[in-house]
Amino acid sequence: MDDCAVDVDVGEDLVARARALRPLLLRNAPLSERRGELTPEVMTALVEADLFKMCVPRRWGGLCVSANAMARVVAELGRGCPSTGWVVTVMNTTVWRVSMMSDETQEDIFAKGVPLVSGVAVPPGRARPVEGGYLVETGRWPYASGSHHAEILHAPIRIEGIKGAAPLAIFPVSDLTIEPSWNAAGMKATGSDTVVATNVYVPAHRVPFFVKPFDYGADTRKHVGELSDYWTALPLMRTKSLGVLLGCAEGLLDYVCAGLTDKPLLFTDYRRRGDSHVFVTQVGRAAAKLAAVRTMMDQMTHAIDAAALTRRDMQPEDRAANRGQMALAIDLLTEAVEMLMTAAGSSAYYDSCDAQRFWRDFSIASRHISLLPDPGYEVYGRSILGEPHAMKLDYT
């Protein structure tokens, strides 16, 4: 098999495994929320299904499946528990970033297999050079999704005397502390708490400065050449996250269709809601929006994979189009979720009801800074108008 090729059968098998886990996720979701982390039963099932290996190159024992397969996998997980889908997509992204680092870093981190990795993007901690590496004097990194289950965390540090972008330092989680801080209305089981470092030593090879893909003249690494080494990062991360939100909305649709059609529509002559053309129209309109988003997600992920398979970066106009499509997809999902909650009625907001969990989780996840629609529309609009600085507005 060509190093950069995709094993379609492996991707389809992972989608099927994720679909089979939905009853388990639905059953565990309330307990996971109360714990503030995924239950041991769920984590064991995810590990046994190899769902934390999707982004990892085959050279390190990973599965290196397509972006399209990954988005569909987390959509299946999100259909049962959006927090689970979010943890899986984030931890796949963070371990992927490690696989893009130097040869020495990759050989170190993957020496004993594929670890569970969490990561954060901001703010940088403070470090200074010492013999053989760096001493991270202070670091506080919030929103560390999956940190409760991670073996390794990577986080940015600002090194005294070194200018430029803050590199990522790679820490054993055992060297850090986790402070409860994720007291949000939704996505409660993601464990997105604050990770803290105080006077932690990090060897130099665990603070690698990234080698940019596609810069073939400068890239002298020996551990490179698979599909995952050529994905364009931000479109990949956004579109996988879209899978979680789509699955969340589809889980809400499942609830509405399964439990409400035979209930009466009070204060009307309809003994069954399913006999009401208003109820049926609400469901149909919402379902059509979800189907449209799934088509868009497939189109976006296929474009990401197509670029990677030919070992080329996505062009600025293609990245801008991804932002615009993503913005529209989030708007469509938001409209569908609100329609479905209206169709479900006030009882759907009871704490004991799965519907309110999907609604809360969607409300939080769809407001992630990388998914907000208006910045996406702006980037796309400026690209359409030919403004050369359009992509500088993208989050990098």
Side-chain angles (χ1 to χ4, degrees):
M1 178 185 291
D2 179 356
D3 282 347
C4 211
V6 175
D7 191 326
V8 176
D9 291 340
V10 170
E12 293 302 316
D13 181 51
L14 290 177
V15 173
R17 292 183 202 178
R19 185 179 300 120
L21 289 176
R22 278 185 359 221
L24 172 70
L25 303 185
L26 276 167
R27 186 171 67 251
N28 276 264
L31 178 56
S32 292
E33 280 209 329
R34 292 193 295 272
R35 291 171 60 96
E37 63 182 15
L38 304 185
T39 66
E41 183 181 14
V42 167
M43 279 301 298
T44 297
L46 296 172
V47 170
E48 290 178 348
D50 285 335
L51 297 186
F52 293 108
K53 296 181 178 180
M54 295 188 291
C55 260
V56 179
R58 289 185 289 266
R59 61 180 175 265
W60 300 121
L63 302 176
C64 196
V65 300
S66 67
N68 179 258
M70 285 189 289
R72 290 165 55 213
V73 164
V74 296
E76 294 294 342
L77 299 177
R79 201 163 179 168
C81 173
S83 286
T84 300
W86 192 263
V87 168
V88 169
T89 193
V90 167
M91 295 187 80
N92 269 280
T93 296
T94 50
V95 75
W96 168 66
R97 288 176 68 86
V98 176
S99 78
M100 295 285 288
M101 294 179 181
S102 67
D103 289 331
E104 187 178 9
T105 304
Q106 292 185 54
E107 290 166 1
D108 174 17
I109 300 302
F110 295 108
K112 296 181 180 179
V114 178
L116 296 176
V117 181
S118 178
V120 291
V122 292
R126 190 177 76 243
R128 60 182 174 85
V130 295
E131 184 177 357
Y134 306 93
L135 183 67
V136 181
E137 297 173 325
T138 60
R140 292 183 62 84
W141 300 287
Y143 310 119
S145 300
S147 57
H148 293 207
H149 305 290
E151 302 162 79
I152 290 170
L153 176 124
H154 61 62
I157 59 172
R158 181 72 62 192
I159 302 171
E160 181 182 299
I162 299 179
K163 296 182 179 180
L168 294 177
I170 301 176
F171 304 87
V173 172
S174 58
D175 288 348
L176 309 171
T177 58
I178 299 175
E179 293 184 358
S181 61
W182 182 242
N183 302 311
M187 303 299 281
K188 289 177 174 290
T190 58
S192 301
D193 289 316
T194 298
V195 181
V196 180
T198 304
N199 293 325
V200 177
Y201 171 75
V202 183
H205 73 275
R206 287 197 169 196
V207 188
F209 292 80
F210 275 90
V211 177
K212 292 183 179 179
F214 315 110
D215 187 3
Y216 299 112
D219 192 349
T220 58
R221 293 175 299 170
K222 63 181 179 180
H223 299 310
V224 69
E226 297 189 48
L227 175 73
S228 59
D229 296 312
Y230 303 103
W231 280 320
T232 305
L234 293 174
L236 173 74
M237 291 185 280
R238 280 192 296 264
T239 312
K240 288 199 293 96
S241 298
L242 177 63
V244 179
L245 293 173
L246 173 61
C248 180
E250 289 177 335
L252 179 55
L253 177 64
D254 291 340
Y255 170 84
V256 172
C257 293
L260 296 179
T261 54
D262 289 331
K263 290 184 65 175
L265 194 60
L266 298 179
F267 307 112
T268 74
D269 290 335
Y270 292 114
R271 295 181 179 274
R272 296 177 62 256
R273 292 190 184 196
D275 294 331
S276 165
H277 76 279
V278 172
F279 176 86
V280 172
T281 299
Q282 287 176 320
V283 172
R285 185 175 285 118
K289 292 177 186 289
L290 301 190
V293 171
R294 183 168 283 274
T295 299
M296 293 168 64
M297 184 181 76
D298 285 343
Q299 180 184 0
M300 285 187 281
T301 51
H302 286 316
I304 294 165
D305 287 328
L309 285 167
T310 55
R311 304 188 183 195
R312 61 180 175 84
D313 200 0
M314 292 179 71
Q315 296 302 302
E317 59 270 23
D318 296 327
R319 292 177 59 198
N322 176 274
R323 289 299 307 271
Q325 289 174 307
M326 180 67 64
L328 179 58
I330 297 298
D331 275 346
L332 289 172
L333 290 176
T334 301
E335 293 166 4
V337 165
E338 291 305 316
M339 285 178 187
L340 290 169
M341 289 301 288
T342 298
S346 59
S347 63
Y349 292 88
Y350 276 42
D351 288 344
S352 59
C353 182
D354 284 333
Q356 57 80 30
R357 176 171 51 83
F358 287 118
W359 175 67
R360 286 187 292 104
D361 286 351
F362 181 86
S363 296
I364 295 296
S366 63
R367 287 169 172 81
H368 190 279
I369 188 65
S370 67
L371 302 176
L372 293 175
D374 283 346
Y377 287 132
E378 181 181 1
V379 168
Y380 191 37
R382 290 186 182 277
S383 175
I384 293 295
L385 293 172
E387 295 188 16
H389 67 289
M391 290 314 297
K392 291 182 180 179
L393 298 174
D394 202 2
Y395 302 109
T396 57

